[in-house]
Amino acid sequence: MSPTDQRPPWLQWGPLPELTGTGDTSGQLSWAWRIWEELRAWDRRYAYVVDTCIAVGLFLMAAGTMLRNGAPGGDIAFSVALSAPLVLRRKAPIAVFAFMAAIALCQWLVTGPLLADAALLVALYTVAATSHWVQVLAASLTVELGVALATIRWRPVDNHVKAVVFLTGLAVTALLAGVVVRALRSQMVFLVERAQQLERERDQQATLAAAMERARIAREMHDVVSHNLQVMVTLADAATSAQRANPERAAEAMQEVSGAGRQALLDMRRMLGVLRDGAATAEAPSLAPQPGLDELSALVERVRATGLAVTVEESGQPFALSAAAQLTVYRIVQEALTNSMKHAQPQSVTVAIAYDDPEVAVEVTDDGAPDRAPVPAPVNGSGHGVTGMAERAAAFGGTLRAGPRCEGGWQVQAVLRGCKAPVGV
C-alpha cells in the first residue's frame, strides 16, 4: 500500500504488509493507536501460543459437551481434526480453511453437528483478516454452502429459515470481525507510512532551505568583500604610484582606502547581524536596511575615487521597486563594476538602468582592452561573481548575459521581472 494512495485503506485489498515501525514517529498518532499496536505486537510475538490456546480451548469445550452427552469416539476424532489445524491458521490461512472445510464435509456425511464446527468461523475470520478479497469471497461462499447443507440434513430447529438466518449471522459476524481488524491494521500501516513520509519531506525541505540560505549568504559575502577589497586594492595602487609625484593625491587615496575599509566592516556587521541570535543592539546594527537604489550614487562615487570614470544613465519612467529588487540591482551593478576594475582596467564604465513597469533592465559596459582573456559565461562558468549575478536575476524570473563586445570591452546585461513594490509599501 502506497502512502500516497488516496483510496481508504480498508478498500485496498491484497496481502497485508507487516508494520515497519511500531513507534509514534511523528508524534501525531494518538495513544489509542499506540495501545492497539502494542496489543498487535504482543499478539504477533506470541502468535503460536495464542493459536494453540484457541485450538485447545475449543477442543476442550467440544469434548466436554460430547462426554456429557455420551458421544461416540468418531465425534472426538472429528473434533480433533477440526480444532488442531487452528495452530497453523496464520502461517497458511487458505490451506487450513480448505482442510477444515473438507473435514466438515466428511463430518456432514457420517455424523451429526459438533461444537468444534465453530473452528470454521475462526478460520473464516483469519482468511478475512489476511487474504486477498477473491479468497475471502470463496471462503464466505463455502461457509454459506455449509450452512445450507447443515440446515437441510440436521435441521437444528424446526424452522429452516430461522436456522439459516442464525448460522448465516454467525458466519457474517466472523467475516466482519476479520474485515474490521484488517481495516484497523491497514489504517495503522497507512498512518505510520504517512508519518514517515512527512518526516522525510520535512527533512528534505529543511535541507533545501539550509542550502538556499548558504547560497544567499555566500552571494552577499562575495559581493561585499570582493567589491570593497577591490576598491581598496585599486586605491592603494594609485596611492603608491602617486606617493612621490603627488603626495596630496596619495594621502587622499589612502583616506579613500580607510573609508572603503570602514564601509566593508559596516556591511559585514550588517550581514552577520542577521545571523546573530538575540535582539539587535546599538553596537550590532543587524536591523539596518540592505542597500538599495538610494545607495547607488555612493557606490559610484567610491569607484570614481579609484580614478575610473563611471557614468550612470536612466531611461523610461521610474517606478517604486521592492526592497529585494533594489538590492538585486545594487548588487549586480556592484559586482559588474568590481569585475571591470579587477579584469579590464578600463578608462570608463557606463551604467544604464531602463525602467519598463514592471521590468527593470540593467546594463554595465566598460571600454576595457579588447584582447583580454574572456570571462566564463554565467551559466557554465566557475566564477562566483557572475554566477551570483545570474542567480539574483533568476530569483526575479529574469536573465543575465555577460560577455565581450565586438568593439572591445565587456558588457553585463540583466533583466529583472516583477520588480514593482506592492501597493502601500
PDB file of all heavy atoms in Angstrom, residues 6-42:
ATOM      1  N   GLN A   6      -4.869   7.488  -2.504  1.00  0.00           N
ATOM      2  CA  GLN A   6      -5.938   8.299  -1.960  1.00  0.00           C
ATOM      3  C   GLN A   6      -7.142   7.474  -1.553  1.00  0.00           C
ATOM      4  O   GLN A   6      -8.075   8.014  -0.954  1.00  0.00           O
ATOM      5  CB  GLN A   6      -6.367   9.359  -3.000  1.00  0.00           C
ATOM      6  CG  GLN A   6      -5.253  10.303  -3.391  1.00  0.00           C
ATOM      7  CD  GLN A   6      -4.721  11.064  -2.198  1.00  0.00           C
ATOM      8  OE1 GLN A   6      -5.492  11.528  -1.350  1.00  0.00           O
ATOM      9  NE2 GLN A   6      -3.409  11.177  -2.098  1.00  0.00           N
ATOM     10  N   ARG A   7      -7.181   6.176  -1.904  1.00  0.00           N
ATOM     11  CA  ARG A   7      -8.312   5.366  -1.501  1.00  0.00           C
ATOM     12  C   ARG A   7      -8.236   5.046  -0.015  1.00  0.00           C
ATOM     13  O   ARG A   7      -7.146   4.937   0.544  1.00  0.00           O
ATOM     14  CB  ARG A   7      -8.319   4.060  -2.294  1.00  0.00           C
ATOM     15  CG  ARG A   7      -8.550   4.229  -3.788  1.00  0.00           C
ATOM     16  CD  ARG A   7      -8.511   2.884  -4.476  1.00  0.00           C
ATOM     17  NE  ARG A   7      -7.222   2.235  -4.271  1.00  0.00           N
ATOM     18  CZ  ARG A   7      -7.014   0.947  -4.439  1.00  0.00           C
ATOM     19  NH1 ARG A   7      -7.996   0.152  -4.782  1.00  0.00           N
ATOM     20  NH2 ARG A   7      -5.803   0.442  -4.232  1.00  0.00           N
ATOM     21  N   PRO A   8      -9.409   4.864   0.618  1.00  0.00           N
ATOM     22  CA  PRO A   8      -9.382   4.451   2.024  1.00  0.00           C
ATOM     23  C   PRO A   8      -8.637   3.140   2.172  1.00  0.00           C
ATOM     24  O   PRO A   8      -8.783   2.242   1.331  1.00  0.00           O
ATOM     25  CB  PRO A   8     -10.867   4.305   2.383  1.00  0.00           C
ATOM     26  CG  PRO A   8     -11.580   5.154   1.386  1.00  0.00           C
ATOM     27  CD  PRO A   8     -10.767   5.073   0.123  1.00  0.00           C
ATOM     28  N   PRO A   9      -7.829   2.979   3.202  1.00  0.00           N
ATOM     29  CA  PRO A   9      -7.030   1.760   3.339  1.00  0.00           C
ATOM     30  C   PRO A   9      -7.857   0.493   3.400  1.00  0.00           C
ATOM     31  O   PRO A   9      -7.410  -0.557   2.957  1.00  0.00           O
ATOM     32  CB  PRO A   9      -6.261   1.990   4.652  1.00  0.00           C
ATOM     33  CG  PRO A   9      -6.221   3.482   4.799  1.00  0.00           C
ATOM     34  CD  PRO A   9      -7.524   3.965   4.230  1.00  0.00           C
ATOM     35  N   TRP A  10      -9.101   0.580   3.920  1.00  0.00           N
ATOM     36  CA  TRP A  10      -9.888  -0.642   4.059  1.00  0.00           C
ATOM     37  C   TRP A  10     -10.460  -1.107   2.711  1.00  0.00           C
ATOM     38  O   TRP A  10     -11.032  -2.170   2.608  1.00  0.00           O
ATOM     39  CB  TRP A  10     -11.021  -0.441   5.049  1.00  0.00           C
ATOM     40  CG  TRP A  10     -11.773   0.831   4.844  1.00  0.00           C
ATOM     41  CD1 TRP A  10     -12.792   1.082   3.987  1.00  0.00           C
ATOM     42  CD2 TRP A  10     -11.511   2.052   5.521  1.00  0.00           C
ATOM     43  NE1 TRP A  10     -13.180   2.378   4.069  1.00  0.00           N
ATOM     44  CE2 TRP A  10     -12.427   3.011   5.022  1.00  0.00           C
ATOM     45  CE3 TRP A  10     -10.592   2.439   6.496  1.00  0.00           C
ATOM     46  CZ2 TRP A  10     -12.434   4.327   5.464  1.00  0.00           C
ATOM     47  CZ3 TRP A  10     -10.618   3.741   6.945  1.00  0.00           C
ATOM     48  CH2 TRP A  10     -11.531   4.667   6.438  1.00  0.00           C
ATOM     49  N   LEU A  11     -10.291  -0.284   1.641  1.00  0.00           N
ATOM     50  CA  LEU A  11     -10.691  -0.706   0.307  1.00  0.00           C
ATOM     51  C   LEU A  11      -9.520  -1.240  -0.492  1.00  0.00           C
ATOM     52  O   LEU A  11      -9.686  -1.619  -1.640  1.00  0.00           O
ATOM     53  CB  LEU A  11     -11.341   0.465  -0.447  1.00  0.00           C
ATOM     54  CG  LEU A  11     -12.652   1.000   0.150  1.00  0.00           C
ATOM     55  CD1 LEU A  11     -13.181   2.130  -0.723  1.00  0.00           C
ATOM     56  CD2 LEU A  11     -13.681  -0.102   0.272  1.00  0.00           C
ATOM     57  N   GLN A  12      -8.349  -1.239   0.081  1.00  0.00           N
ATOM     58  CA  GLN A  12      -7.149  -1.647  -0.626  1.00  0.00           C
ATOM     59  C   GLN A  12      -6.824  -3.094  -0.250  1.00  0.00           C
ATOM     60  O   GLN A  12      -5.980  -3.362   0.592  1.00  0.00           O
ATOM     61  CB  GLN A  12      -5.985  -0.719  -0.299  1.00  0.00           C
ATOM     62  CG  GLN A  12      -6.272   0.710  -0.702  1.00  0.00           C
ATOM     63  CD  GLN A  12      -5.288   1.672  -0.105  1.00  0.00           C
ATOM     64  OE1 GLN A  12      -4.427   1.282   0.655  1.00  0.00           O
ATOM     65  NE2 GLN A  12      -5.440   2.940  -0.437  1.00  0.00           N
ATOM     66  N   TRP A  13      -7.568  -4.051  -0.888  1.00  0.00           N
ATOM     67  CA  TRP A  13      -7.392  -5.452  -0.549  1.00  0.00           C
ATOM     68  C   TRP A  13      -6.105  -5.981  -1.157  1.00  0.00           C
ATOM     69  O   TRP A  13      -5.645  -5.510  -2.183  1.00  0.00           O
ATOM     70  CB  TRP A  13      -8.582  -6.262  -1.058  1.00  0.00           C
ATOM     71  CG  TRP A  13      -9.836  -5.986  -0.300  1.00  0.00           C
ATOM     72  CD1 TRP A  13     -10.738  -4.997  -0.559  1.00  0.00           C
ATOM     73  CD2 TRP A  13     -10.307  -6.686   0.831  1.00  0.00           C
ATOM     74  NE1 TRP A  13     -11.753  -5.036   0.350  1.00  0.00           N
ATOM     75  CE2 TRP A  13     -11.530  -6.065   1.221  1.00  0.00           C
ATOM     76  CE3 TRP A  13      -9.839  -7.758   1.573  1.00  0.00           C
ATOM     77  CZ2 TRP A  13     -12.259  -6.510   2.303  1.00  0.00           C
ATOM     78  CZ3 TRP A  13     -10.579  -8.196   2.639  1.00  0.00           C
ATOM     79  CH2 TRP A  13     -11.769  -7.577   2.998  1.00  0.00           C
ATOM     80  N   GLY A  14      -5.569  -6.974  -0.566  1.00  0.00           N
ATOM     81  CA  GLY A  14      -4.334  -7.589  -1.032  1.00  0.00           C
ATOM     82  C   GLY A  14      -3.576  -8.122   0.161  1.00  0.00           C
ATOM     83  O   GLY A  14      -3.998  -7.969   1.321  1.00  0.00           O
ATOM     84  N   PRO A  15      -2.457  -8.801  -0.053  1.00  0.00           N
ATOM     85  CA  PRO A  15      -1.642  -9.295   1.069  1.00  0.00           C
ATOM     86  C   PRO A  15      -1.278  -8.155   1.997  1.00  0.00           C
ATOM     87  O   PRO A  15      -0.729  -7.140   1.578  1.00  0.00           O
ATOM     88  CB  PRO A  15      -0.409  -9.885   0.364  1.00  0.00           C
ATOM     89  CG  PRO A  15      -0.881 -10.188  -1.019  1.00  0.00           C
ATOM     90  CD  PRO A  15      -1.892  -9.140  -1.350  1.00  0.00           C
ATOM     91  N   LEU A  16      -1.583  -8.303   3.256  1.00  0.00           N
ATOM     92  CA  LEU A  16      -1.382  -7.232   4.233  1.00  0.00           C
ATOM     93  C   LEU A  16       0.088  -7.131   4.614  1.00  0.00           C
ATOM     94  O   LEU A  16       0.701  -8.109   5.034  1.00  0.00           O
ATOM     95  CB  LEU A  16      -2.206  -7.512   5.489  1.00  0.00           C
ATOM     96  CG  LEU A  16      -2.317  -6.372   6.489  1.00  0.00           C
ATOM     97  CD1 LEU A  16      -3.032  -5.195   5.856  1.00  0.00           C
ATOM     98  CD2 LEU A  16      -3.034  -6.821   7.740  1.00  0.00           C
ATOM     99  N   PRO A  17       0.724  -5.950   4.458  1.00  0.00           N
ATOM    100  CA  PRO A  17       2.139  -5.803   4.819  1.00  0.00           C
ATOM    101  C   PRO A  17       2.320  -5.737   6.322  1.00  0.00           C
ATOM    102  O   PRO A  17       1.416  -5.333   7.048  1.00  0.00           O
ATOM    103  CB  PRO A  17       2.530  -4.473   4.168  1.00  0.00           C
ATOM    104  CG  PRO A  17       1.254  -3.695   4.129  1.00  0.00           C
ATOM    105  CD  PRO A  17       0.161  -4.706   3.919  1.00  0.00           C
ATOM    106  N   GLU A  18       3.491  -6.133   6.753  1.00  0.00           N
ATOM    107  CA  GLU A  18       3.836  -6.006   8.164  1.00  0.00           C
ATOM    108  C   GLU A  18       4.257  -4.574   8.454  1.00  0.00           C
ATOM    109  O   GLU A  18       4.854  -3.907   7.624  1.00  0.00           O
ATOM    110  CB  GLU A  18       4.984  -6.956   8.522  1.00  0.00           C
ATOM    111  CG  GLU A  18       4.595  -8.417   8.489  1.00  0.00           C
ATOM    112  CD  GLU A  18       3.564  -8.768   9.544  1.00  0.00           C
ATOM    113  OE1 GLU A  18       3.577  -8.135  10.614  1.00  0.00           O
ATOM    114  OE2 GLU A  18       2.753  -9.680   9.297  1.00  0.00           O
ATOM    115  N   LEU A  19       3.931  -4.102   9.643  1.00  0.00           N
ATOM    116  CA  LEU A  19       4.330  -2.757  10.037  1.00  0.00           C
ATOM    117  C   LEU A  19       5.843  -2.700  10.184  1.00  0.00           C
ATOM    118  O   LEU A  19       6.457  -3.559  10.789  1.00  0.00           O
ATOM    119  CB  LEU A  19       3.673  -2.378  11.365  1.00  0.00           C
ATOM    120  CG  LEU A  19       2.163  -2.135  11.309  1.00  0.00           C
ATOM    121  CD1 LEU A  19       1.655  -1.843  12.706  1.00  0.00           C
ATOM    122  CD2 LEU A  19       1.805  -1.019  10.370  1.00  0.00           C
ATOM    123  N   THR A  20       6.445  -1.650   9.623  1.00  0.00           N
ATOM    124  CA  THR A  20       7.896  -1.496   9.705  1.00  0.00           C
ATOM    125  C   THR A  20       8.322  -0.688  10.908  1.00  0.00           C
ATOM    126  O   THR A  20       9.490  -0.533  11.167  1.00  0.00           O
ATOM    127  CB  THR A  20       8.409  -0.806   8.431  1.00  0.00           C
ATOM    128  OG1 THR A  20       7.734   0.458   8.279  1.00  0.00           O
ATOM    129  CG2 THR A  20       8.118  -1.665   7.209  1.00  0.00           C
ATOM    130  N   GLY A  21       7.414  -0.150  11.639  1.00  0.00           N
ATOM    131  CA  GLY A  21       7.758   0.623  12.829  1.00  0.00           C
ATOM    132  C   GLY A  21       6.577   0.679  13.754  1.00  0.00           C
ATOM    133  O   GLY A  21       5.451   0.915  13.320  1.00  0.00           O
ATOM    134  N   THR A  22       6.760   0.432  15.013  1.00  0.00           N
ATOM    135  CA  THR A  22       5.668   0.429  15.957  1.00  0.00           C
ATOM    136  C   THR A  22       5.627   1.682  16.790  1.00  0.00           C
ATOM    137  O   THR A  22       4.692   1.896  17.536  1.00  0.00           O
ATOM    138  CB  THR A  22       5.782  -0.790  16.895  1.00  0.00           C
ATOM    139  OG1 THR A  22       7.041  -0.715  17.567  1.00  0.00           O
ATOM    140  CG2 THR A  22       5.713  -2.075  16.100  1.00  0.00           C
ATOM    141  N   GLY A  23       6.645   2.547  16.684  1.00  0.00           N
ATOM    142  CA  GLY A  23       6.672   3.764  17.477  1.00  0.00           C
ATOM    143  C   GLY A  23       5.907   4.878  16.794  1.00  0.00           C
ATOM    144  O   GLY A  23       5.681   4.876  15.594  1.00  0.00           O
ATOM    145  N   ASP A  24       5.487   5.865  17.561  1.00  0.00           N
ATOM    146  CA  ASP A  24       4.794   7.037  17.054  1.00  0.00           C
ATOM    147  C   ASP A  24       5.843   8.016  16.558  1.00  0.00           C
ATOM    148  O   ASP A  24       6.244   8.928  17.261  1.00  0.00           O
ATOM    149  CB  ASP A  24       3.948   7.647  18.173  1.00  0.00           C
ATOM    150  CG  ASP A  24       3.092   8.789  17.657  1.00  0.00           C
ATOM    151  OD1 ASP A  24       3.175   9.082  16.452  1.00  0.00           O
ATOM    152  OD2 ASP A  24       2.367   9.371  18.463  1.00  0.00           O
ATOM    153  N   THR A  25       6.328   7.810  15.306  1.00  0.00           N
ATOM    154  CA  THR A  25       7.480   8.562  14.823  1.00  0.00           C
ATOM    155  C   THR A  25       7.175  10.028  14.627  1.00  0.00           C
ATOM    156  O   THR A  25       8.066  10.847  14.716  1.00  0.00           O
ATOM    157  CB  THR A  25       7.960   7.951  13.507  1.00  0.00           C
ATOM    158  OG1 THR A  25       6.875   7.949  12.571  1.00  0.00           O
ATOM    159  CG2 THR A  25       8.439   6.529  13.739  1.00  0.00           C
ATOM    160  N   SER A  26       5.938  10.384  14.321  1.00  0.00           N
ATOM    161  CA  SER A  26       5.624  11.780  14.057  1.00  0.00           C
ATOM    162  C   SER A  26       5.064  12.496  15.262  1.00  0.00           C
ATOM    163  O   SER A  26       4.922  13.705  15.253  1.00  0.00           O
ATOM    164  CB  SER A  26       4.624  11.874  12.910  1.00  0.00           C
ATOM    165  OG  SER A  26       3.371  11.362  13.335  1.00  0.00           O
ATOM    166  N   GLY A  27       4.715  11.786  16.318  1.00  0.00           N
ATOM    167  CA  GLY A  27       4.118  12.432  17.475  1.00  0.00           C
ATOM    168  C   GLY A  27       2.669  12.788  17.269  1.00  0.00           C
ATOM    169  O   GLY A  27       2.062  13.449  18.113  1.00  0.00           O
ATOM    170  N   GLN A  28       2.062  12.374  16.129  1.00  0.00           N
ATOM    171  CA  GLN A  28       0.698  12.747  15.807  1.00  0.00           C
ATOM    172  C   GLN A  28      -0.282  11.582  15.988  1.00  0.00           C
ATOM    173  O   GLN A  28      -1.487  11.791  15.922  1.00  0.00           O
ATOM    174  CB  GLN A  28       0.631  13.256  14.360  1.00  0.00           C
ATOM    175  CG  GLN A  28       1.472  14.505  14.108  1.00  0.00           C
ATOM    176  CD  GLN A  28       1.445  14.928  12.650  1.00  0.00           C
ATOM    177  OE1 GLN A  28       0.942  14.213  11.812  1.00  0.00           O
ATOM    178  NE2 GLN A  28       1.988  16.090  12.374  1.00  0.00           N
ATOM    179  N   LEU A  29       0.215  10.365  16.145  1.00  0.00           N
ATOM    180  CA  LEU A  29      -0.678   9.237  16.356  1.00  0.00           C
ATOM    181  C   LEU A  29      -1.131   9.233  17.810  1.00  0.00           C
ATOM    182  O   LEU A  29      -0.352   9.425  18.716  1.00  0.00           O
ATOM    183  CB  LEU A  29       0.046   7.925  16.032  1.00  0.00           C
ATOM    184  CG  LEU A  29       0.593   7.806  14.601  1.00  0.00           C
ATOM    185  CD1 LEU A  29       1.247   6.450  14.434  1.00  0.00           C
ATOM    186  CD2 LEU A  29      -0.501   8.009  13.596  1.00  0.00           C
ATOM    187  N   SER A  30      -2.407   9.007  17.996  1.00  0.00           N
ATOM    188  CA  SER A  30      -2.991   9.093  19.336  1.00  0.00           C
ATOM    189  C   SER A  30      -2.573   7.899  20.189  1.00  0.00           C
ATOM    190  O   SER A  30      -2.075   6.885  19.690  1.00  0.00           O
ATOM    191  CB  SER A  30      -4.522   9.142  19.238  1.00  0.00           C
ATOM    192  OG  SER A  30      -5.014   7.918  18.712  1.00  0.00           O
ATOM    193  N   TRP A  31      -2.811   8.043  21.492  1.00  0.00           N
ATOM    194  CA  TRP A  31      -2.446   6.970  22.414  1.00  0.00           C
ATOM    195  C   TRP A  31      -3.254   5.714  22.141  1.00  0.00           C
ATOM    196  O   TRP A  31      -2.788   4.599  22.376  1.00  0.00           O
ATOM    197  CB  TRP A  31      -2.666   7.420  23.853  1.00  0.00           C
ATOM    198  CG  TRP A  31      -4.089   7.751  24.176  1.00  0.00           C
ATOM    199  CD1 TRP A  31      -4.711   8.951  24.061  1.00  0.00           C
ATOM    200  CD2 TRP A  31      -5.082   6.835  24.670  1.00  0.00           C
ATOM    201  NE1 TRP A  31      -6.029   8.854  24.426  1.00  0.00           N
ATOM    202  CE2 TRP A  31      -6.287   7.570  24.821  1.00  0.00           C
ATOM    203  CE3 TRP A  31      -5.078   5.486  24.994  1.00  0.00           C
ATOM    204  CZ2 TRP A  31      -7.466   7.002  25.275  1.00  0.00           C
ATOM    205  CZ3 TRP A  31      -6.251   4.910  25.450  1.00  0.00           C
ATOM    206  CH2 TRP A  31      -7.431   5.667  25.592  1.00  0.00           C
ATOM    207  N   ALA A  32      -4.479   5.861  21.602  1.00  0.00           N
ATOM    208  CA  ALA A  32      -5.299   4.682  21.301  1.00  0.00           C
ATOM    209  C   ALA A  32      -4.640   3.824  20.232  1.00  0.00           C
ATOM    210  O   ALA A  32      -4.623   2.588  20.317  1.00  0.00           O
ATOM    211  CB  ALA A  32      -6.687   5.109  20.834  1.00  0.00           C
ATOM    212  N   TRP A  33      -4.051   4.490  19.215  1.00  0.00           N
ATOM    213  CA  TRP A  33      -3.361   3.739  18.182  1.00  0.00           C
ATOM    214  C   TRP A  33      -2.126   3.059  18.742  1.00  0.00           C
ATOM    215  O   TRP A  33      -1.781   1.939  18.353  1.00  0.00           O
ATOM    216  CB  TRP A  33      -2.965   4.657  17.027  1.00  0.00           C
ATOM    217  CG  TRP A  33      -4.108   5.074  16.163  1.00  0.00           C
ATOM    218  CD1 TRP A  33      -4.621   6.320  16.017  1.00  0.00           C
ATOM    219  CD2 TRP A  33      -4.914   4.218  15.343  1.00  0.00           C
ATOM    220  NE1 TRP A  33      -5.682   6.312  15.156  1.00  0.00           N
ATOM    221  CE2 TRP A  33      -5.881   5.031  14.729  1.00  0.00           C
ATOM    222  CE3 TRP A  33      -4.900   2.848  15.079  1.00  0.00           C
ATOM    223  CZ2 TRP A  33      -6.829   4.514  13.854  1.00  0.00           C
ATOM    224  CZ3 TRP A  33      -5.844   2.340  14.200  1.00  0.00           C
ATOM    225  CH2 TRP A  33      -6.796   3.165  13.598  1.00  0.00           C
ATOM    226  N   ARG A  34      -1.435   3.712  19.665  1.00  0.00           N
ATOM    227  CA  ARG A  34      -0.240   3.097  20.245  1.00  0.00           C
ATOM    228  C   ARG A  34      -0.602   1.866  21.067  1.00  0.00           C
ATOM    229  O   ARG A  34       0.091   0.846  21.028  1.00  0.00           O
ATOM    230  CB  ARG A  34       0.497   4.125  21.102  1.00  0.00           C
ATOM    231  CG  ARG A  34       1.125   5.252  20.291  1.00  0.00           C
ATOM    232  CD  ARG A  34       2.174   5.985  21.089  1.00  0.00           C
ATOM    233  NE  ARG A  34       1.624   6.641  22.260  1.00  0.00           N
ATOM    234  CZ  ARG A  34       1.141   7.892  22.259  1.00  0.00           C
ATOM    235  NH1 ARG A  34       1.158   8.597  21.152  1.00  0.00           N
ATOM    236  NH2 ARG A  34       0.655   8.423  23.358  1.00  0.00           N
ATOM    237  N   ILE A  35      -1.707   1.957  21.819  1.00  0.00           N
ATOM    238  CA  ILE A  35      -2.147   0.800  22.593  1.00  0.00           C
ATOM    239  C   ILE A  35      -2.532  -0.348  21.657  1.00  0.00           C
ATOM    240  O   ILE A  35      -2.191  -1.518  21.896  1.00  0.00           O
ATOM    241  CB  ILE A  35      -3.330   1.191  23.500  1.00  0.00           C
ATOM    242  CG1 ILE A  35      -2.846   2.169  24.589  1.00  0.00           C
ATOM    243  CG2 ILE A  35      -3.962  -0.044  24.121  1.00  0.00           C
ATOM    244  CD1 ILE A  35      -3.954   2.645  25.494  1.00  0.00           C
ATOM    245  N   TRP A  36      -3.249   0.016  20.569  1.00  0.00           N
ATOM    246  CA  TRP A  36      -3.623  -1.020  19.595  1.00  0.00           C
ATOM    247  C   TRP A  36      -2.393  -1.698  19.025  1.00  0.00           C
ATOM    248  O   TRP A  36      -2.341  -2.922  18.897  1.00  0.00           O
ATOM    249  CB  TRP A  36      -4.460  -0.380  18.495  1.00  0.00           C
ATOM    250  CG  TRP A  36      -4.604  -1.242  17.270  1.00  0.00           C
ATOM    251  CD1 TRP A  36      -3.941  -1.123  16.093  1.00  0.00           C
ATOM    252  CD2 TRP A  36      -5.476  -2.372  17.128  1.00  0.00           C
ATOM    253  NE1 TRP A  36      -4.326  -2.097  15.215  1.00  0.00           N
ATOM    254  CE2 TRP A  36      -5.273  -2.882  15.823  1.00  0.00           C
ATOM    255  CE3 TRP A  36      -6.395  -3.007  17.954  1.00  0.00           C
ATOM    256  CZ2 TRP A  36      -5.966  -3.986  15.345  1.00  0.00           C
ATOM    257  CZ3 TRP A  36      -7.082  -4.109  17.466  1.00  0.00           C
ATOM    258  CH2 TRP A  36      -6.865  -4.585  16.189  1.00  0.00           C
ATOM    259  N   GLU A  37      -1.386  -0.930  18.674  1.00  0.00           N
ATOM    260  CA  GLU A  37      -0.193  -1.515  18.082  1.00  0.00           C
ATOM    261  C   GLU A  37       0.581  -2.344  19.101  1.00  0.00           C
ATOM    262  O   GLU A  37       1.181  -3.365  18.760  1.00  0.00           O
ATOM    263  CB  GLU A  37       0.693  -0.417  17.497  1.00  0.00           C
ATOM    264  CG  GLU A  37       1.915  -0.931  16.766  1.00  0.00           C
ATOM    265  CD  GLU A  37       1.580  -1.964  15.707  1.00  0.00           C
ATOM    266  OE1 GLU A  37       0.461  -1.905  15.162  1.00  0.00           O
ATOM    267  OE2 GLU A  37       2.424  -2.834  15.443  1.00  0.00           O
ATOM    268  N   GLU A  38       0.563  -1.921  20.355  1.00  0.00           N
ATOM    269  CA  GLU A  38       1.213  -2.731  21.389  1.00  0.00           C
ATOM    270  C   GLU A  38       0.519  -4.084  21.528  1.00  0.00           C
ATOM    271  O   GLU A  38       1.176  -5.123  21.692  1.00  0.00           O
ATOM    272  CB  GLU A  38       1.207  -1.976  22.717  1.00  0.00           C
ATOM    273  CG  GLU A  38       2.158  -0.778  22.733  1.00  0.00           C
ATOM    274  CD  GLU A  38       2.074  -0.017  24.040  1.00  0.00           C
ATOM    275  OE1 GLU A  38       1.287  -0.444  24.912  1.00  0.00           O
ATOM    276  OE2 GLU A  38       2.774   0.993  24.179  1.00  0.00           O
ATOM    277  N   LEU A  39      -0.814  -4.064  21.466  1.00  0.00           N
ATOM    278  CA  LEU A  39      -1.552  -5.326  21.528  1.00  0.00           C
ATOM    279  C   LEU A  39      -1.244  -6.197  20.315  1.00  0.00           C
ATOM    280  O   LEU A  39      -1.054  -7.417  20.433  1.00  0.00           O
ATOM    281  CB  LEU A  39      -3.055  -5.049  21.611  1.00  0.00           C
ATOM    282  CG  LEU A  39      -3.541  -4.391  22.905  1.00  0.00           C
ATOM    283  CD1 LEU A  39      -5.028  -4.081  22.813  1.00  0.00           C
ATOM    284  CD2 LEU A  39      -3.271  -5.291  24.108  1.00  0.00           C
ATOM    285  N   ARG A  40      -1.166  -5.573  19.139  1.00  0.00           N
ATOM    286  CA  ARG A  40      -0.841  -6.328  17.935  1.00  0.00           C
ATOM    287  C   ARG A  40       0.572  -6.897  18.016  1.00  0.00           C
ATOM    288  O   ARG A  40       0.826  -8.025  17.598  1.00  0.00           O
ATOM    289  CB  ARG A  40      -0.976  -5.425  16.707  1.00  0.00           C
ATOM    290  CG  ARG A  40      -2.404  -5.079  16.332  1.00  0.00           C
ATOM    291  CD  ARG A  40      -3.173  -6.290  15.913  1.00  0.00           C
ATOM    292  NE  ARG A  40      -2.480  -7.001  14.858  1.00  0.00           N
ATOM    293  CZ  ARG A  40      -2.700  -8.270  14.541  1.00  0.00           C
ATOM    294  NH1 ARG A  40      -3.575  -8.964  15.239  1.00  0.00           N
ATOM    295  NH2 ARG A  40      -2.038  -8.848  13.562  1.00  0.00           N
ATOM    296  N   ALA A  41       1.492  -6.116  18.555  1.00  0.00           N
ATOM    297  CA  ALA A  41       2.863  -6.599  18.687  1.00  0.00           C
ATOM    298  C   ALA A  41       2.920  -7.793  19.637  1.00  0.00           C
ATOM    299  O   ALA A  41       3.635  -8.776  19.388  1.00  0.00           O
ATOM    300  CB  ALA A  41       3.772  -5.477  19.175  1.00  0.00           C
ATOM    301  N   TRP A  42       2.165  -7.704  20.733  1.00  0.00           N
ATOM    302  CA  TRP A  42       2.124  -8.831  21.673  1.00  0.00           C
ATOM    303  C   TRP A  42       1.510 -10.056  21.008  1.00  0.00           C
ATOM    304  O   TRP A  42       1.992 -11.183  21.179  1.00  0.00           O
ATOM    305  CB  TRP A  42       1.310  -8.439  22.894  1.00  0.00           C
ATOM    306  CG  TRP A  42       1.272  -9.504  23.954  1.00  0.00           C
ATOM    307  CD1 TRP A  42       2.142  -9.686  24.975  1.00  0.00           C
ATOM    308  CD2 TRP A  42       0.287 -10.549  24.075  1.00  0.00           C
ATOM    309  NE1 TRP A  42       1.782 -10.777  25.731  1.00  0.00           N
ATOM    310  CE2 TRP A  42       0.642 -11.337  25.201  1.00  0.00           C
ATOM    311  CE3 TRP A  42      -0.850 -10.900  23.346  1.00  0.00           C
ATOM    312  CZ2 TRP A  42      -0.106 -12.424  25.594  1.00  0.00           C
ATOM    313  CZ3 TRP A  42      -1.587 -12.005  23.746  1.00  0.00           C
ATOM    314  CH2 TRP A  42      -1.206 -12.755  24.864  1.00  0.00           C
TER     315      TRP A  42
END
